[in-house]
Amino acid sequence: MNLSIAEENYVKAIYKLQDGDTAVTTNALAYELDTKPASVTDMAKKLKEKQLIDYEKYQGITLSSEGRKTALQIVRRHRLWECFLVDKLAFSWEEVHELAEELEHVRSEKLTNRLSEYLGNPTVDPHGDPIPDAHGKMVKPRPQTSLDQANAKRLVVTAVTDQSTALLAFLNAKGIGLGTQLEILAHYEYDNSIEIKIKHAPALTISEQVAKNIMVRPV
Amino acid sequence: MNLSIAEENYVKAIYKLQDGDTAVTTNALAYELDTKPASVTDMAKKLKEKQLIDYEKYQGITLSSEGRKTALQIVRRHRLWECFLVDKLAFSWEEVHELAEELEHVRSEKLTNRLSEYLGNPTVDPHGDPIPDAHGKMVKPRPQTSLDQANAKRLVVTAVTDQSTALLAFLNAKGIGLGTQLEILAHYEYDNSIEIKIKHAPALTISEQVAKNIMVRPV
DNA sequence: AAAATTATTTAGATTTGTCTAAATAATAAT
DNA sequence: ATTATTATTTAGACAAATCTAAATAATTTT
Ligand SMILES: [Mn+2]
Ligand SMILES: [Mn+2]
Ligand SMILES: [Mn+2]
Ligand SMILES: [Mn+2]
């Protein structure tokens, strides 16, 4: 099956939005891909034709098993390139998504596998997201919760769910990255902000919105 | 100026075919890009509109100075990725052109420059072709001639002009690569074939066609 | 200098991916 | 149970990149 770049982007977006077997809505997909619902409907028909998705009028979209396989390959390439950019070319984590968005469309299994090997077959990308292996298998991430719901006091950052440049740049500024260890000093119930302390740095307070997007596990 | 992948491929092909200020013909470009002359004419109008080429009906195509700048950037990216694939991912020289043909279209100066730096700012690619620097400047290659016209007896291979997989695979089989030192043992005037000797290997005879595509200089 | 050949361009279609505006379906509010 | 709102689809259009077939220009041969 030879997919265009546009088709690949749709398949990847559906994969991202599909939670379990809940169908993805036309509007959600349009918003994610920064396009119009009418365009999504058009593409849905094409992807159904190619048997990458299950789709019935007004019923939303789910990936077929073929579609899921395809999505995992694209995600694999995306995350491997992100690793390359960060580990080898010294890009920072907020710069790589956009570039990987293009690099992911170079469809060569040999290239992908060589790249993976060259990087030491990494299992997570610079944002803490798991990287599918050549067969589409991902390591099950160790149990993690968002920072706003963490019980333990001493935590380590394992991933970031919102990967917008804005949030990542904010976290950079505050010295928070993957692997950063932190301690919860206080929860303020007024706005659900959280006071945390990172080693060798003054305590700081972060908003609920930020805390929701930081994944952590007990250290 | 935001160019599509198709437009970039045209600009690069024109750059490749244009020898000095001789105009590139519609047919030559169609053949190079594996497309039809009618399509070339269509694209010529678009590229002229964008001021990347000079073009008048029936008069052929030449790059404008803007077009030349653009072409050099694409060539730079292409050749850097080829270096990456060979030097870092252990691809062999006949495999990389096709992949670089896609990677070259990721337009990020930062990525390009970081990649160059990571590779040690190479000045020639795996086929012996010079790599433009960030300003489009290339090292002037040291004087070289094709093997069929070489006078000296002891030579070193500096480049290959035909980069088809067929030729490169043939050269691999015969143990000939960039930097290979060889000695001319005989010219056979019957078919202009050449007998050569590479260190630690039996002598071999290569056809005129092969010899024409191997660039050498005296060792 | 015609005639024949080759090169190039035009005219008109097609495919892909997108859009706007209008129609219809589904869902929520009264 | 209507009505209003929201979500989705359809109809029709457009730009990009390509094609085939036909027309025209340029070049070469006789
Ligand atoms: Mn993408
Ligand atoms: Mn990522
Ligand atoms: Mn290309
Ligand atoms: Mn090359």
Side-chain angles (χ1 to χ4, degrees):
Chain A
M1 189 83 57
N2 225 19
L3 298 188
S4 68
I5 289 177
E7 288 169 333
E8 284 198 339
N9 284 333
Y10 271 89
V11 167
K12 185 158 68 86
I14 296 164
Y15 175 84
K16 179 178 173 184
L17 296 181
Q18 187 178 335
D19 192 7
D21 46 3
T22 323
V24 177
T25 67
T26 304
N27 267 357
L29 203 44
Y31 182 79
E32 171 73 19
L33 289 167
D34 196 22
T35 181
K36 295 290 167 342
S39 306
V40 171
T41 301
D42 288 344
M43 184 60 94
K45 290 173 184 167
K46 257 182 284 184
L47 294 179
K48 181 185 180 172
E49 189 61 37
K50 294 195 172 189
Q51 310 201 33
L52 293 163
I53 62 171
D54 296 316
Y55 167 68
E56 295 300 332
K57 259 193 199 185
Y58 297 107
Q59 299 311 124
I61 295 169
T62 53
L63 286 178
S64 68
S65 67
E66 189 61 34
R68 200 160 22 248
K69 250 176 65 182
T70 301
L72 284 165
Q73 285 168 1
I74 304 166
V75 166
R76 169 168 160 81
R77 295 194 295 257
H78 183 102
R79 293 180 181 167
L80 285 172
W81 281 117
E82 286 189 342
C83 286
F84 170 72
L85 294 170
V86 167
D87 296 352
K88 303 296 186 183
L89 300 194
F91 278 86
S92 69
W93 68 348
E94 82 273 17
E95 300 174 292
V96 297
H97 180 81
E98 202 190 356
L99 289 168
E101 201 56 50
E102 305 195 39
L103 290 163
E104 69 188 358
H105 300 294
V106 178
R107 270 171 296 262
S108 158
E109 284 199 32
K110 188 166 187 179
L111 170 55
T112 308
N113 294 337
R114 288 273 174 98
L115 180 63
S116 176
E117 197 182 348
Y118 181 60
L119 298 169
N121 295 309
T123 58
V124 294
D125 83 357
H127 310 105
D129 292 317
I131 301 175
D133 69 15
H135 311 293
K137 293 255 176 299
M138 289 186 275
V139 294
K140 186 160 55 214
R142 298 168 63 175
Q144 52 183 11
T145 43
S146 56
L147 179 52
D148 66 317
Q149 297 187 319
N151 302 316
K153 286 276 164 291
R154 304 188 132 281
L155 302 159
V156 59
V157 176
T158 53
V160 196
T161 47
D162 172 4
Q163 289 160 24
S164 65
T165 305
L167 176 60
L168 296 178
F170 173 82
L171 296 178
N172 283 346
K174 300 303 181 188
I176 301 171
L178 288 200
T180 298
Q181 296 194 15
L182 50 84
E183 191 177 349
I184 296 181
L185 300 182
H187 283 86
Y188 298 107
E189 68 174 320
Y190 174 66
D191 62 353
N192 292 313
S193 61
I194 298 175
E195 187 172 23
I196 62 174
K197 173 91 176 70
I198 302 170
K199 251 178 243 169
H200 314 303
L204 64 144
T205 302
I206 59 179
S207 69
E208 181 182 24
Q209 200 192 340
V210 168
K212 275 185 186 302
N213 285 297
I214 300 177
M215 302 302 291
V216 294
R217 61 175 166 73
V219 69
Chain B
M1 187 81 59
N2 224 18
L3 298 189
S4 68
I5 289 176
E7 289 168 332
E8 284 198 339
N9 284 333
Y10 271 89
V11 168
K12 186 158 67 86
I14 296 163
Y15 175 83
K16 179 178 173 186
L17 296 182
Q18 188 179 335
D19 192 9
D21 47 1
T22 322
V24 176
T25 68
T26 303
N27 267 356
L29 203 43
Y31 182 79
E32 170 73 18
L33 288 168
D34 196 22
T35 182
K36 295 288 163 353
S39 307
V40 172
T41 301
D42 288 344
M43 183 59 93
K45 291 172 183 168
K46 257 182 284 180
L47 295 178
K48 182 187 180 169
E49 190 59 38
K50 295 195 173 189
Q51 311 200 31
L52 293 164
I53 62 172
D54 296 318
Y55 166 68
E56 296 300 334
K57 259 194 202 182
Y58 297 105
Q59 300 312 122
I61 296 168
T62 53
L63 287 178
S64 68
S65 68
E66 190 60 35
R68 200 161 20 250
K69 250 177 66 183
T70 300
L72 284 165
Q73 285 168 3
I74 304 166
V75 166
R76 170 167 159 81
R77 295 193 297 256
H78 184 102
R79 294 182 179 165
L80 284 172
W81 280 117
E82 286 190 342
C83 287
F84 170 71
L85 294 170
V86 167
D87 295 352
K88 303 295 186 183
L89 300 194
F91 278 85
S92 68
W93 67 348
E94 81 273 16
E95 300 175 292
V96 298
H97 180 81
E98 201 190 358
L99 289 168
E101 201 55 50
E102 304 195 40
L103 290 162
E104 70 187 356
H105 301 293
V106 178
R107 269 172 295 262
S108 159
E109 285 200 31
K110 188 165 187 178
L111 171 54
T112 307
N113 294 336
R114 286 273 173 98
L115 180 62
S116 176
E117 197 181 347
Y118 181 61
L119 297 169
N121 295 309
T123 57
V124 294
D125 83 358
H127 310 105
D129 292 317
I131 301 175
D133 70 14
H135 311 294
K137 291 257 178 300
M138 289 186 275
V139 293
K140 186 162 51 216
R142 298 167 64 176
Q144 51 182 10
T145 44
S146 56
L147 178 52
D148 66 316
Q149 298 188 317
N151 302 317
K153 286 274 164 290
R154 304 187 131 281
L155 303 158
V156 57
V157 176
T158 53
V160 195
T161 48
D162 171 4
Q163 288 160 26
S164 66
T165 304
L167 176 61
L168 296 178
F170 172 82
L171 296 178
N172 283 346
K174 301 301 178 190
I176 301 171
L178 288 200
T180 298
Q181 296 194 14
L182 50 85
E183 190 178 348
I184 295 182
L185 300 183
H187 283 86
Y188 299 107
E189 69 175 317
Y190 173 66
D191 63 352
N192 291 314
S193 61
I194 299 175
E195 188 174 23
I196 62 174
K197 172 91 178 70
I198 303 169
K199 250 180 245 168
H200 314 306
L204 64 145
T205 303
I206 58 178
S207 69
E208 180 181 25
Q209 200 193 339
V210 168
K212 274 184 185 304
N213 284 299
I214 300 177
M215 302 301 292
V216 294
R217 61 174 166 75
V219 69

